[in-house]
């Protein structure tokens, strides 16, 4: 893996090279300090003092250069303001156009400066965390707190880009005034939401948004989707043209996500009754529910590969297969065939296009709304999870049309078949296949006179990369490839994994632990949801409607929980602390669910289920947020990407959980609950131990 120091050097603006943070030097210093402490020539107090002084010097160098460049931009803007005032008295179209181009040039200079600040901010964050990890001392908290809150803080200039806002405002306002407003005299201050209709202003806004990026609900939800992006912007990488963006196509992908989640959970309240009506045991519902997950293990791979070539065709195929699968599921009752029932669910799993939905958002959505689209993906999934059981609770009727039966167990299949047919028609007429030119590595073929414009375009595109992985460092740098002097070809470091085996080989120990955690929480949640109908019928004699209401209420907790975690809890505690605390609470929820001595009561089941489900939701969000930051950048592209790995881990967990439910049925219903909960408890304890061993400095 190519180290951050090498990537920083490659992406520096060459004429400003001496003013960047000297990351390589500071990294060597950290290693030198570690050796000196080990041999006893320095103590930690001396190291902290010396490293603080070195950081202060580096930040001062950056800030003084930043102020110098801001002054040059301010001087240019002052002179341009004089020309602008003169043109207002004697307007000339040619002069206005010329002045506007000059303002654009200042805008591109501002973009370079924003890019400079961002690269240095990333470097500072990375070296601080590297120091914390090497010495197991929370130096970052001390340093940021003492420097950022000081009245003469230079750190504020880097992390809050103080003063650049005025330059951004001046460029934006003047470009807005110089454009053809067709009689409108509104200022950008009168209507902040007014579109500025200038690419350089959009680029500046995107760059400022990145620098002001912090942990909030929208970012937390976006990371929950695990739609991975590279940490550092690559100016030479071709990016998505906003003209290629099609809102209706994005909406269709979100609708596909929503409908698939409804399709997954709509049968849960009635699966046991359906199994018994076909002559099988109630616990066969585990196989019925899990058949969809079994097929999804394979469909995720071929849909991910298919999305390399097209988005429209896999979505069409998905809709057709899901229509057929749901029709077979509904017809199984009249055919009195458990085989047809299972085949119907397998077909539904083979139609899982979530890999396509993720890939479309990652590849085809403009960068300025990518975070919103990613959060929309998570919201659509959560809403579908709640609507599925709720819809099953409503479909409590019984009638026949000719030889077809419509009742509580078949109506979920018929309703979803109609929904997928309607979706297929909508998809056929409304989806627009995006151009894939941006994925090809075309060599520049413009004339020499276009060189400067091309460079500006590259800079603009590089700065518009979103920070779904944030400014936090990736784990790949913690592996420290420079320690043994080895280096890898940059092209090799950007090449995607070509198989599941090679993708697995790119996983660090911490990533493997987080995938284990993801497996555990998906297993626990699937056990809770899939066995709910069997357990509540045996212990409490709940009706299908009551089970549906319980499951719908659980699903409705997803978004509020993520709001609280993303907006508040994640700002008060480190992600790794929330991770361990959530695992422990999940374990407590599982323990409370066991039926041991006392009569099993509704409060015990509901409260323990709620504790387990809510803590698992918190754990999932935090775990995927961490996973998106530490996974190799090579897993952010290609067929075998990070999203696919996490999907496969979760899907396999669901398959094993549903199989456990069916196997536990052979031991009798009195032992059923405890037998299904025991593997959940064991896996949860193992994941807690693995977390403590991997992150041994959590508190």
């Amino acid at each position: 893996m190519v180290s951050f120091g090498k990537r920083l050097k490659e992406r520096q603006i060459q004429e400003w090279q001496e003013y960047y943070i000297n990351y390589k030097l500071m990294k060597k210093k950290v290693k030198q300090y570690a050796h000196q402490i080990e041999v006893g020539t320095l103590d930690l107090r001396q190291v902290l003092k010396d490293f603080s002084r070195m950081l202060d010097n580096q930040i001062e160098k950056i800030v003084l250069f930043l102020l110098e460049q801001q002054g040059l931009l301010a001087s240019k803007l002052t002179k341009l303001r004089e020309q602008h005032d003169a043109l207002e008295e004697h307007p000339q179209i040619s002069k206005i156009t010329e002045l506007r181009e000059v303002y654009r040039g200042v805008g591109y200079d501002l973009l370079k400066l924003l890019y400079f600040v961002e690269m240095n901010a990333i470097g500072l964050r990375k070296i601080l965390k590297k120091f914390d990890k090497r010495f197991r001392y929370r130096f970052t908290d001390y340093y940021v707190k003492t420097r950022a809150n000081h009245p003469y803080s230079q750190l504020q200039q880097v992390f809050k880009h103080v003063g650049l806002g005025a330059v951004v405002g001046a460029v934006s306002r003047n470009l807005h005034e110089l454009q053809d407003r067709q009689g409108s005299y509104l200022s950008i201050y009168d209507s902040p939401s007014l579109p500025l209709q200038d690419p350089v202003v959009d680029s500046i806004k995107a760059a400022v948004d990145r620098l002001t990026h912090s942990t909030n609900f929208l970012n937390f939800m976006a990371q929950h989707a695990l739609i991975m992006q590279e940490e550092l912007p690559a100016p030479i990488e071709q990016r998505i043209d906003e003209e290629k963006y099609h809102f209706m196509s994005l909406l269709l992908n979100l609708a596909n996500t929503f409908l698939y989640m409804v399709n997954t959970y709509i049968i849960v309240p009635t699966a046991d009754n359906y199994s018994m009506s076909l002559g099988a045991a109630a616990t066969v519902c585990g196989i019925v529910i899990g058949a969809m997950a079994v097929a999804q293990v394979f469909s995720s791979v071929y849909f991910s590969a298919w999305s390399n070539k097209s988005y429209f065709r896999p979505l069409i195929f998905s809709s057709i297969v899901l229509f057929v699968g749901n029709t077979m599921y509904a017809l199984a009752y009249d055919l009195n065939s458990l085989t047809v029932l299972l085949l119907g669910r397998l077909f539904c799993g083979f139609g899982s296009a979530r890999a396509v939905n993720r890939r479309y958002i990652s590849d085809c959505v403009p960068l300025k709304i990518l975070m919103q689209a990613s959060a929309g993906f998570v919201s659509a999934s959560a809403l579908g999870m709640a609507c599925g059981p709720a819809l099953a609770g409503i479909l409590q009727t019984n009638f026949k049309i000719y030889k077809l039966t419509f009742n509580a167990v078949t109506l979920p299949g018929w309703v979803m078949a109609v929904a997928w047919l309607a979706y297929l028609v909508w998809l056929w007429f409304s989806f627009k296949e995006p151009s894939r030119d941006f994925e090809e590595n075309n060599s520049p073929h413009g004339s020499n006179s276009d060189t400067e414009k091309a460079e500006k375009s590259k800079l603009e595109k590089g700065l518009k990369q979103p920070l779904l992985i944030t400014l936090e460092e990736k784990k790949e740098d913690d592996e420290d490839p420079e320690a043994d002097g080895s280096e890898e070809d940059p092209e090799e470091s950007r090449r995607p994994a070509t198989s599941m085996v090679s993708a697995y080989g790119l996983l660090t120990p911490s990533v493997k632990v987080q995938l284990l955690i993801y497996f555990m929480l998906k297993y626990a949640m699937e056990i809770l949801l899939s066995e709910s109908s069997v357990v509540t019928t045996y212990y409490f004699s709940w009706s299908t409607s009551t089970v549906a209401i319980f499951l719908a209420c659980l699903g409705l907790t997803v978004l509020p929980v993520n709001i609280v975690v993303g907006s508040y809890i994640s700002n008060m505690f480190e992600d790794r602390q929330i991770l361990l605390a959530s695992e422990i609470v999940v374990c407590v929820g599982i323990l409370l669910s066991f039926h041991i001595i006392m009569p099993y009561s509704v409060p015990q089941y509901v409260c323990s289920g709620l504790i387990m489900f809510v803590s698992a939701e918190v754990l999932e969000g935090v775990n995927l947020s961490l996973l998106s930051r530490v996974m190799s950048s090579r897993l952010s592209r290609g067929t075998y990407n990070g999203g696919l790995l996490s999907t496969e881990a979760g899907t396999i967990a669901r398959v094993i959980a549903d199989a456990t439910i069916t196997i536990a049925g052979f031991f009798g219903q009195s032992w059923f609950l405890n037998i299904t909960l025991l593997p959940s408890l064991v896996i949860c304890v193992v994941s807690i131990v693995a977390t403590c061993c991997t992150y041994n400095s959590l508190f």
Side-chain angles (χ1 to χ4, degrees):
M1 199 66 61
V2 176
S3 67
F4 171 79
K6 186 172 182 180
R7 285 182 287 142
L8 175 64
K9 186 175 181 180
E10 289 173 351
R11 299 179 187 184
Q12 286 176 352
I13 299 170
Q14 292 305 311
E15 60 267 29
W16 295 350
Q17 193 170 5
E18 62 183 291
Y19 302 106
Y20 280 89
I21 181 174
N22 196 333
Y23 181 82
K24 188 174 182 180
L25 172 65
M26 300 192 76
K27 187 176 173 182
K28 287 181 178 178
K29 266 291 186 182
V30 170
K31 295 177 185 176
Q32 183 181 333
Y33 290 145
H35 176 70
Q36 289 174 325
I37 288 179
E38 186 178 346
V39 299
T41 56
L42 278 180
D43 59 26
L44 183 60
R45 186 180 60 82
Q46 292 172 308
V47 167
L48 294 177
K49 181 179 179 182
D50 191 54
F51 191 67
S52 297
R53 182 183 58 80
M54 181 180 295
L55 270 176
D56 290 339
N57 291 340
Q58 290 289 320
I59 292 171
E60 182 177 274
K61 173 184 69 174
I62 295 165
V63 168
L64 292 178
F65 178 75
L66 177 62
L67 292 173
E68 179 186 348
Q69 293 301 312
Q70 284 180 222
L72 293 174
L73 290 176
S75 178
K76 290 181 183 178
L77 288 170
T78 301
K79 294 177 181 177
L80 291 175
R81 182 72 255 178
E82 295 173 358
Q83 298 178 38
H84 193 171
D85 291 340
L87 280 175
E88 285 184 350
E89 296 180 5
H90 306 287
Q92 298 179 34
I93 298 298
S94 60
K95 293 288 185 181
I96 290 175
T97 303
E98 183 181 334
L99 184 60
R100 192 176 175 188
E101 288 302 315
V102 177
Y103 267 113
R104 280 204 185 102
V106 175
Y108 284 113
D109 290 339
L110 177 57
L111 273 174
K112 288 172 64 178
L113 195 57
L114 289 169
Y115 186 58
F116 170 82
V117 175
E118 181 185 13
M119 295 291 285
N120 282 294
I122 293 172
L124 284 171
R125 289 178 189 269
K126 291 177 77 66
I127 198 64
L128 283 169
K129 187 169 183 180
K130 190 173 287 291
F131 186 93
D132 288 354
K133 180 179 179 180
R134 178 61 68 96
F135 297 102
R136 304 191 185 286
Y137 182 84
R138 298 186 67 171
F139 175 75
T140 300
D141 292 350
Y142 155 77
Y143 188 82
V144 173
K145 183 178 179 181
T146 55
R147 268 59 175 179
N149 295 328
H150 195 277
Y152 305 132
S153 171
Q154 293 179 322
L155 192 63
Q156 294 275 14
Q157 293 279 351
V158 179
F159 284 109
K160 294 193 176 181
H161 45 279
V162 180
L164 282 175
V167 182
V168 172
V171 173
S172 303
R173 184 179 66 85
N174 282 282
L175 279 172
H176 177 71
E177 289 181 357
L178 289 169
Q179 73 180 13
D180 181 11
R181 296 190 299 275
Q182 298 180 345
S184 171
Y185 294 94
L186 287 175
S187 164
I188 61 171
Y189 303 115
D190 298 322
S191 181
S193 61
L194 197 66
L196 297 174
Q197 298 177 342
D198 197 294
V200 70
V201 175
D202 288 340
S203 301
I204 291 171
K205 183 179 182 301
V208 171
D209 286 344
R210 290 181 61 181
L211 286 173
T212 55
H213 181 276
S214 61
T215 303
N216 52 34
F217 169 60
L218 192 60
N219 176 57
F220 184 84
M221 292 286 282
Q223 290 175 325
H224 198 147
L226 201 65
I227 296 171
M228 297 182 62
Q229 296 289 322
E230 290 189 74
E231 174 194 16
L232 288 177
I236 61 171
E237 184 177 351
Q238 297 188 4
R239 293 298 300 171
I240 306 158
D241 188 342
E242 289 190 22
E243 294 179 1
K244 297 173 183 174
Y245 165 61
H246 188 233
F247 173 74
M248 188 59 70
S249 299
L250 172 61
L251 193 61
L252 281 160
N253 273 278
L254 296 179
N256 184 285
T257 300
F258 169 76
L259 285 176
Y260 187 78
M261 292 302 289
V262 172
N263 210 149
T264 300
Y265 291 100
I266 193 172
I267 73 156
V268 172
T270 58
D272 58 335
N273 291 333
Y274 206 162
S275 300
M276 289 189 292
S277 70
L278 297 179
T283 52
V284 174
C285 70
I287 294 179
V288 175
I289 297 169
M292 195 169 177
V294 171
Q296 191 179 342
V297 171
F298 303 98
S299 66
S300 296
V301 178
Y302 67 71
F303 271 115
S304 182
W306 202 349
S307 64
N308 290 327
K309 298 180 179 179
S310 174
Y311 302 103
F312 178 65
R313 289 192 290 274
L315 289 176
I316 289 288
F317 176 78
S318 166
S319 305
I320 294 172
V321 172
L322 282 158
F323 169 74
V324 172
N326 282 288
T327 303
M328 291 175 67
Y329 181 86
L331 288 173
Y333 186 86
D334 292 306
L335 296 173
N336 194 29
S337 174
L338 184 63
T339 302
V340 173
L341 182 71
L342 293 174
L343 286 174
R345 288 294 287 177
L346 282 171
F347 264 74
C348 290
F350 284 128
S352 172
R354 286 172 66 82
V356 179
N357 304 144
R358 275 195 178 105
R359 187 71 177 271
Y360 182 88
I361 293 172
S362 176
D363 290 352
C364 304
V365 172
L367 298 166
K368 64 181 180 181
I369 65 165
L370 183 55
M371 193 178 292
Q372 291 92 324
S374 302
F377 176 86
V378 176
S379 301
S381 299
L383 189 59
M385 185 179 182
C387 287
L391 192 56
I394 295 171
L395 301 174
Q396 300 298 305
T397 186
N398 192 346
F399 61 92
K400 294 192 76 167
I401 299 178
Y402 297 108
K403 294 183 180 181
L404 298 178
T405 303
F406 297 86
N407 58 23
V409 297
T410 62
L411 274 172
W414 290 120
V415 168
M416 292 312 303
V418 172
W420 284 112
L421 184 61
Y423 175 81
L424 179 61
V425 174
W426 181 24
L427 179 71
W428 185 267
F429 289 104
S430 301
F431 191 87
K432 180 181 177 183
E433 182 77 81
S435 169
R436 307 186 75 84
D437 294 340
F438 63 89
E439 295 182 357
E440 298 173 2
N441 295 322
N442 297 326
S443 58
H445 51 273
S447 62
N448 291 336
S449 60
D450 295 334
T451 302
E452 185 177 349
K453 185 181 291 186
E455 288 300 317
K456 290 179 179 179
S457 177
K458 288 177 183 177
L459 176 63
E460 174 186 338
K461 290 172 182 175
L463 279 161
K464 289 173 70 176
Q465 297 275 353
L467 277 186
L468 288 188
I469 303 183
T470 75
L471 293 177
E472 298 289 344
E473 60 277 8
K474 290 191 175 186
K475 195 73 173 179
E476 63 186 71
D477 293 302
D478 292 334
E479 297 302 313
D480 203 2
E482 289 184 354
D484 58 0
S486 61
E487 292 185 352
E488 188 177 340
D489 180 30
E491 290 301 318
E492 178 66 24
S493 70
R494 296 176 59 80
R495 191 172 300 159
T498 56
S499 67
M500 275 292 185
V501 175
S502 63
Y504 185 80
L506 294 172
L507 303 181
T508 62
S510 63
V511 175
K512 292 175 183 176
V513 169
Q514 285 166 229
L515 287 177
L516 171 64
I517 294 170
Y518 191 65
F519 177 93
M520 178 273 292
L521 68 91
K522 284 298 181 183
Y523 182 93
M525 290 172 69
E526 188 71 10
I527 288 289
L528 172 66
L529 298 174
S530 296
E531 72 175 11
S532 59
S533 183
V534 177
V535 171
T536 55
T537 300
Y538 176 73
Y539 286 106
F540 318 126
S541 300
W542 279 7
S543 65
T544 300
S545 298
T546 308
V547 177
I549 291 171
F550 171 67
L551 294 177
C553 290
L554 287 181
L556 288 173
T557 62
V558 174
L559 287 178
V561 166
N562 278 297
I563 290 173
V564 173
V565 175
S567 299
Y568 303 104
I569 297 178
S570 61
N571 289 326
M572 294 186 289
F573 302 98
E574 291 184 11
D575 283 353
R576 290 177 293 177
Q577 294 174 342
I578 303 172
L579 188 79
L580 182 60
S582 301
E583 287 181 88
I584 293 172
V585 177
V586 169
C587 190
V588 170
I590 294 172
L591 286 170
L592 292 175
S593 299
F594 277 91
H595 179 207
I596 302 175
I597 301 174
M598 297 174 59
Y600 207 57
S601 63
V602 172
Q604 180 185 352
Y605 177 75
V606 172
C607 291
S608 61
L610 191 62
I611 290 171
M612 189 197 309
F613 187 84
V614 170
S615 55
E617 276 300 318
V618 173
L619 181 60
E620 181 176 6
V622 175
N623 186 56
L624 290 180
S625 176
L626 273 171
L627 196 59
S628 69
R629 294 202 294 261
V630 302
M631 197 172 279
S632 168
S633 61
R634 290 178 62 183
L635 294 174
S636 66
R637 62 182 77 85
T639 300
Y640 302 96
N641 52 60
L644 177 64
L645 289 179
S646 63
T647 299
E648 292 291 88
T651 305
I652 292 171
R654 289 171 51 207
V655 170
I656 297 175
D658 291 324
T660 304
I661 290 172
T662 300
I663 294 170
F666 291 104
F667 294 89
Q669 289 199 332
S670 60
W671 290 92
F672 176 77
L673 178 64
N674 289 346
I675 290 174
T676 55
L677 288 174
L678 189 59
S680 299
L681 180 62
V682 172
I683 300 171
C684 188
V685 171
V686 170
S687 71
I688 291 173
V689 172
T691 302
C692 292
C693 292
T694 303
Y695 302 116
N696 50 14
S697 56
L698 281 162
F699 298 97

